[in-house]
Amino acid sequence: MAKVFGAVTIDADMCKGCNLCVVACPTDVLALQPQEVNDRGYHYAFPEKPDACIGCAACATVCPDACIEVYRVVDKNI
Amino acid sequence: MTREEIIRPENKVYGRPELLMPVHTHYCPGCSHGVVHKIIAELLQEMNVADKAVGVAPVGCAVFAYNYIDIDWIEAAHGRAPAVATAASRLNPDALVFTYQGDGDLSAIGTAETIHAANRGENIVIIFINNAIYGMTGGQMAPTTLLGMKTATTPYGRRADLNGYPLAISPILASLDGTCYVTRQAVHTPAAVRKAKAAIKKAFQNAMAKRGTSVVEIVATCNSGWKLTPAQSNDWMVENMFPKYPLGDLKNVEPQQ
Amino acid sequence: MEEEIRLMKGNEAIAHAAIRYGADGYFGYPITPQSEVLETLAELRPWETTGMTVLQAESEVAAINMVYGGAATGKAVMTSSSSPGVSLKQEGISYLAASELPALILNVMRGGPGLGTIQPSQADYFQAVKGGGHGDYHLIVLAPATVQEMTDFVALGFDLAFKYRTPAMILADGIVGQMMEKVVLPPQRPRRTDEEIRQQCPWATTGKGTRKHRNVVTSLELDSALMEKNNERFQETYKRIAENEVRYQEYFTDDAEYLIVAFGSVARICLKAIEDARAAGLKIGMIRPITLWPFPTARIAELGKQVKGILTVELNAGQMIEDVRLAVAGSTPVEHFGRMGGIVPNPNEVIDALKNKLSVNL
């Protein structure tokens, strides 16, 4: 059986902390920084539980600021 | 598998389209405009038509659309984008000319230009962002504002006897012989974004094939104007906007074989 | 098409001249007394010969914004209308000026204000020469007095508009638009190719193509410091135009003791009055501004020192007289004679005005 490994990178500087990616993620990978803000004062998104990512790109698809990159590996040997 | 092993160029499945300029947009956090800009940029790139594209920006929140997508743009007077696009398209038949307009620009001050350009069947694409409010000027009533909806100029809610009824303009445009494709989409979920992208792709193809006017209405949110969070705005839109502005194709004239 | 001598109306001549200039597009809306421009273009079907686009728009507002869209892509485009319609176009004209776009606008003036009358007038002088729409800008304003000038000013207007990247206006009146005269139509010029436009108009939004940079046509600049720079650049352009493009014609000014200033069709009536007055021994001269903006201020100032008085004759309540008074700066009396609302004066009335207003003894 194949296993899917996913990962996202978020451009913290471009992120406006709108939370739409957090809502869109089916595996609850993402969260907004609870304390830290970027240069423009936004609590930017970050992968709080990166291991749960399946690389589905739901987060990046709904991101209005195009600040999420998605990577995906399907390992057929597992 | 470690994060470092996954994050490699060969494994990248989604990224920022190259045609989006590397700048912060002026849009509020969670604004639908950003998503629509992104899918336009993706499509122009994927369809290899960026070099032929001429966008016509409106007056309204999207007035600065020309700062965000790396193509030629003309900034039109309020409501006049379809007239500007008419001439740009007729005089440059090889160009892909599209307008990007909000509900104030398209369905209030620019109603006449919109209807007549569509009725002439200009080979242009009209992308219509309907968030039922004037965003740029601070949240006033739009023609598309729902009954009961509170805005800066309907602080007690829109009343039919005072302000008239919400205007659904896409069905009017669908009734015109000049339009070949009129559809209503949204960008609030990943699936909706993919459908909206497919719709805009079809519209661009229609324009390139000179099949007439294509109109893609995006039922959108304005969380600042609606005074909700972005996620709450999506829910409010589904509950309140979709009954008045239901999603789906209103007209789709398939090309003659 | 070769050079050709024809008899036709001023409005018809505009249509022929536009095609023969190699104009790329005309966008207009019917309004009396200039509807023959669009009608003649429709009859001549230039889209089948030169490839020129001709489109009847849904409104004057749409027509001027079509001009804006066409001009943004570097094409030679024009519109025509008459006074109420030109009022509707003012927003678009302001945008053309602010976006530094070349375009040609014809106003065949009729009597106003409001719906007014369909008869000839010159009451849109202020609107034409002082900008007309919002903001600090000028149009190059050409005032034809003959059907030949209607023809010639199409090419001149387009050439100046492209030279300075600013809209130009032909300010005609209902007489020049409607009267028939002999006219020499110029030979056909080919329309510029898309490649020529890309070379000559590197700013044009034709689609990025092989260009390294993208083009954006906009009049918006929210950074006030940059907006002021834009305005300073516009003013530099107007200064260059004022220095280089003043045009006028003089009649009997060598020995003139009194001067008439008149433009367009009225200048022709005044010329007849001057001939009658000279037959009676009176030394009247005339200057006819051809460019109403830039105005022949310097020459009128000179003549102001030579003559005992100046009479402006206009089909309005006295508009150009303000520019004449500014030019002479009090060095000589300046009076106005005008008829309004579509009434055209006869030469005797002009002579009477000279007698009554400037105490000229006949």
Side-chain angles (χ1 to χ4, degrees):
Chain A
M1 193 184 138
K3 181 164 168 48
V4 178
F5 296 91
V8 296
T9 61
I10 297 173
D11 184 338
D13 172 59
M14 293 295 276
C15 178
K16 291 176 183 160
C18 74
N19 204 46
L20 289 177
C21 58
V22 178
V23 176
C25 178
T27 56
D28 298 328
V29 171
L30 300 170
L32 297 187
Q33 288 284 356
Q35 298 294 329
E36 209 174 316
V37 294
N38 63 17
D39 287 353
R40 302 164 80 233
Y42 293 119
H43 293 282
Y44 56 91
F46 75 107
E48 191 184 38
K49 299 172 194 158
D51 294 347
C53 182
I54 54 171
C56 70
C59 55
T61 305
V62 298
C63 174
D65 293 285
C67 58
I68 304 177
E69 288 188 342
V70 184
Y71 299 83
R72 192 165 192 244
V73 179
V74 181
D75 193 337
K76 291 180 180 144
N77 300 322
I78 295 175
Chain B
M1 195 171 264
T2 65
R3 193 169 149 79
E4 286 67 33
E5 286 170 314
I6 303 168
I7 300 177
R8 286 179 177 164
E10 65 270 24
N11 298 333
K12 189 167 161 183
V13 292
Y14 198 102
R16 186 181 173 86
E18 283 167 32
L19 276 181
L20 274 189
M21 312 279 275
V23 293
H24 298 285
T25 69
H26 71 291
Y27 297 119
C28 304
C31 175
S32 310
H33 277 304
V35 183
V36 183
H37 284 18
K38 185 175 63 177
I39 57 183
I40 291 171
E42 288 172 1
L43 280 168
L44 293 173
Q45 208 164 306
E46 288 163 18
M47 296 170 74
N48 200 23
V49 288
D51 287 351
K52 296 178 175 184
V54 179
V56 184
V59 168
C61 278
V63 67
F64 287 121
Y66 58 75
N67 281 338
Y68 305 137
I69 303 177
D70 189 12
I71 56 170
D72 280 5
W73 284 92
I74 306 170
E75 210 299 300
H78 199 12
R80 318 302 173 213
V84 171
T86 290
S89 164
R90 287 199 179 209
L91 293 167
N92 299 276
D94 294 336
L96 168 62
V97 182
F98 69 93
T99 72
Y100 188 104
Q101 303 175 260
D103 41 64
D105 197 77
L106 183 140
S107 69
I109 196 167
T111 315
E113 285 77 9
T114 303
I115 286 178
H116 286 281
N119 192 51
R120 286 190 301 265
E122 301 295 342
N123 293 305
I124 60 172
V125 174
I126 294 174
I127 295 170
F128 167 36
I129 309 297
N130 175 11
N131 57 15
I133 207 161
Y134 283 66
M136 182 62 104
T137 44
Q140 296 85 3
M141 181 186 70
T144 49
T145 296
L146 301 174
L147 288 177
M149 193 172 162
K150 289 182 180 174
T151 71
T153 49
T154 55
Y156 308 104
R158 181 177 187 163
R159 271 170 53 179
D161 61 336
L162 287 179
N163 313 110
Y165 296 91
L167 177 60
I169 199 153
S170 288
I172 299 172
L173 298 174
S175 74
L176 305 174
D177 291 340
T179 51
C180 60
Y181 180 49
V182 181
T183 187
R184 214 187 255 129
Q185 302 290 334
V187 291
H188 60 309
T189 64
V193 173
R194 283 190 277 271
K195 282 180 75 177
K197 185 174 170 183
I200 296 174
K201 181 176 185 178
K202 181 180 281 185
F204 283 167
Q205 287 168 336
N206 286 340
M208 297 303 284
K210 311 221 175 294
R211 295 192 188 118
T213 308
S214 296
V215 181
V216 181
E217 173 177 347
I218 308 283
V219 183
T221 61
C222 174
N223 55 75
S224 293
W226 295 359
K227 306 194 192 315
L228 298 169
T229 68
Q232 287 169 339
S233 295
N234 279 340
D235 295 341
W236 193 90
M237 174 177 72
V238 172
E239 195 178 324
N240 298 281
M241 294 280 281
F242 287 0
K244 174 68 191 172
Y245 306 110
L247 304 191
D249 289 353
L250 289 89
K251 181 180 193 178
N252 186 11
V253 180
E254 292 296 344
Q256 305 273 315
Q257 293 302 314
Chain C
M1 278 185 286
E2 299 303 312
E3 185 179 287
E4 204 178 338
I5 297 175
R6 296 274 297 272
L7 176 73
M8 62 174 66
K9 284 187 177 189
N11 289 336
E12 294 167 340
I14 290 281
H16 285 271
I19 296 169
R20 286 167 182 255
Y21 177 76
D24 297 301
Y26 170 92
F27 305 90
Y29 184 83
I31 180 172
T32 308
Q34 62 79 54
S35 298
E36 295 88 349
V37 179
L38 176 55
E39 290 170 2
T40 306
L41 283 166
E43 196 177 322
L44 293 172
R45 289 180 292 184
W47 53 90
E48 290 181 1
T49 51
T50 69
M52 179 185 180
T53 296
V54 178
L55 182 59
Q56 180 172 335
E58 65 269 28
S59 67
E60 302 293 1
V61 175
I64 193 67
N65 283 283
M66 289 172 185
V67 166
Y68 184 85
T73 66
K75 303 284 183 177
V77 288
M78 66 178 292
T79 186
S80 67
S81 189
S82 180
S83 308
V86 176
S87 291
L88 280 171
K89 290 183 194 292
Q90 289 303 330
E91 180 202 34
I93 294 172
S94 170
Y95 276 63
L96 284 164
S99 301
E100 298 172 283
L101 294 180
L104 184 62
I105 301 135
L106 166 68
N107 181 359
V108 183
M109 288 181 283
R110 58 189 254 183
L115 206 45
T117 174
I118 60 171
Q119 307 299 334
S121 163
Q122 295 179 326
D124 302 345
Y125 176 90
F126 280 151
Q127 186 193 56
V129 306
K130 308 295 183 191
H134 59 285
D136 279 324
Y137 71 92
H138 282 291
L139 303 174
I140 297 169
V141 182
L142 304 168
T146 63
V147 174
Q148 188 64 55
E149 282 188 340
M150 285 287 258
T151 308
D152 297 344
F153 289 178
V154 169
L156 178 62
F158 269 127
D159 287 347
L160 291 175
F162 273 91
K163 181 176 177 186
Y164 294 100
R165 275 186 67 182
T166 196
M169 175 176 275
I170 298 175
L171 190 69
D173 57 59
I175 300 174
V176 184
Q178 289 295 331
M179 72 183 177
M180 294 183 86
E181 276 189 312
K182 187 185 90 169
V183 58
V184 182
L185 297 174
Q188 178 70 49
R189 268 177 40 160
R191 286 175 56 229
R192 287 174 306 161
T193 63
D194 287 352
E195 192 45 49
E196 284 168 336
I197 289 173
R198 270 190 278 274
Q199 281 171 12
Q200 292 166 20
C201 308
W203 44 266
T205 53
T206 50
K208 207 170 152 190
T210 52
R211 223 190 302 123
K212 287 204 174 67
H213 61 94
R214 77 202 186 101
N215 284 333
V216 175
V217 167
T218 181
S219 58
L220 177 66
E221 181 50 74
L222 290 185
D223 183 327
S224 299
L226 293 178
M227 189 66 224
E228 189 172 49
K229 285 254 177 296
N230 286 351
N231 267 305
E232 285 167 0
R233 189 173 67 251
F234 305 155
Q235 295 304 320
E236 272 305 308
T237 301
Y238 303 142
K239 201 173 148 209
R240 282 194 294 129
I241 295 170
E243 282 166 2
N244 297 308
E245 306 299 346
V246 173
R247 288 168 169 78
Y248 54 85
Q249 193 165 2
E250 292 185 32
Y251 309 82
F252 308 109
T253 47
D254 287 352
D255 63 346
E257 292 174 359
Y258 292 92
L259 184 73
I260 288 176
V261 187
F263 67 94
S265 60
V266 179
R268 300 175 66 159
I269 296 163
C270 292
L271 194 56
K272 172 67 177 145
I274 290 167
E275 284 165 4
D276 292 350
R278 284 201 166 246
L282 205 77
K283 289 177 177 168
I284 313 282
M286 178 167 72
I287 180 166
R288 175 174 73 92
I290 290 172
T291 51
L292 296 178
W293 197 91
F295 195 68
T297 304
R299 182 56 186 147
I300 289 174
E302 279 175 13
L303 290 168
K305 290 178 186 141
Q306 170 190 323
V307 299
K308 295 181 207 162
I310 296 178
L311 182 72
T312 69
V313 185
E314 308 172 61
L315 296 183
N316 58 40
Q319 298 191 15
M320 182 178 63
I321 186 173
E322 294 194 3
D323 287 327
V324 175
R325 281 184 170 152
L326 283 171
V328 302
S331 67
T332 192
V334 182
E335 297 296 336
H336 164 76
F337 171 65
R339 296 301 301 267
M340 291 177 282
I343 305 291
V344 178
N346 63 41
N348 290 337
E349 289 178 276
V350 176
I351 290 173
D352 286 348
L354 283 167
K355 284 190 218 167
N356 298 334
K357 295 184 182 253
L358 289 174
S359 309
V360 178
N361 294 315
L362 267 179

